[in-house]
Amino acid sequence: MQYVKEIVAFGPRPIGSENHKKVENYILSHLKGDTVEEDSFTIDTPEGKFPVRNILAKFPGTRDGIIVIASHYETNYPLRDTTYIGANDGASSSALLLEIANQLRGSKREGYSVWLLWDDAEESMKLPWFDSESLYGVRHLAQRWQDDGTIKQIKAFLLEDMIGDADLNIEREANSTPWLEDLIYQAATRLGYQSHFFGRTIPIEDDHQPFVERGVPSADLIDLNYGYNNVFHHTTQDTIDKLSPRSLEIVGRVTLETVRMLDKR
Ligand SMILES: [Zn+2]
């Protein structure tokens, strides 16, 4: 939760902004000594050209294959001139990945390599959502990994999005891979958190989409019911007081348990 506070303290962080650069550097400052790669490129959008930067931290394992855990970190470009800080949408999951890095660091992984991905330019350039003007970061990376063969090595793509809501209800996301969703539910049940998982099944367009399309087992851990009727989503009310450290802990522990179960599968 401290990391969430620090990320939102930079203010709105849309692509192309100074605050965005500060958050990039903030994430990188937490990954000193780790194997870090950056995937930087420029996108041409109806709103103009923007720099995009995916940040990747690689934690090698003993087994052939990669588990990717991802979160977007920027806030919506259309909300750039407001006080929108995306405490749940972008900051909560990016903070969780920083803590997962802490958990992975320093110990030899007996299992698959884990790559943590802070991806960029997820949000649509126009509200509410336009498929062709969103998911720029992951679309670029999925294509790159398809071209260089990396994609065949990816055993699972786990996406975290909007996971900090104090009233935590992770969806069973209908575009996700059924066996991987089943595994997540098993992990949640083992830890006694199943009441927070899969109360409903709905399809959501999100950063896992380019990987789903390429046949990578993928799951979107997302709680899209953020306030009554999702009223806080993409509004200036998406602030830290709606979040709970316990929700971050639940999703973090279930994610790591899922990784352990994938390692043994
Ligand atoms: Zn969003």
Side-chain angles (χ1 to χ4, degrees), residues 72 74-76 84 89-90 122-124 129 161-162 233-234 238:
H72 81 91
E74 97 290 5
T75 53
N76 305 58
Y84 177 71
D89 192 355
E122 182 259 6
E123 299 285 7
S124 175
W129 187 266
D161 197 5
M162 300 175 69
H233 187 212
H234 290 169
D238 181 2

Side-chain angles (χ1 to χ4, degrees), residues 127-185:
L127 289 171
W129 187 266
F130 290 82
D131 287 349
S132 62
E133 296 177 33
S134 56
L135 311 186
Y136 290 98
V138 283
R139 285 195 280 146
H140 185 266
L141 203 52
Q143 186 60 50
R144 203 185 107 189
W145 284 347
Q146 182 178 315
D147 294 343
D148 71 10
T150 300
I151 204 121
K152 292 193 206 84
Q153 303 289 319
I154 302 176
K155 303 300 175 185
F157 183 92
L158 301 171
L159 177 63
E160 320 274 5
D161 197 5
M162 300 175 69
I163 46 80
D165 185 2
D167 177 23
L168 184 70
N169 298 289
I170 300 291
E171 325 286 356
R172 187 171 171 111
E173 196 281 317
N175 300 323
S176 296
T177 307
W179 71 257
L180 188 53
E181 294 280 276
D182 291 346
L183 199 72
I184 290 166
Y185 194 73

Side-chain angles (χ1 to χ4, degrees), residues 45-73:
T45 81
E47 302 293 323
K49 289 190 169 145
F50 295 92
V52 171
R53 194 184 202 183
N54 296 318
I55 299 169
L56 202 60
K58 297 183 171 182
F59 298 89
T62 52
R63 191 174 173 190
D64 284 343
I66 301 155
I67 298 168
V68 179
I69 308 173
S71 155
H72 81 91
Y73 64 94

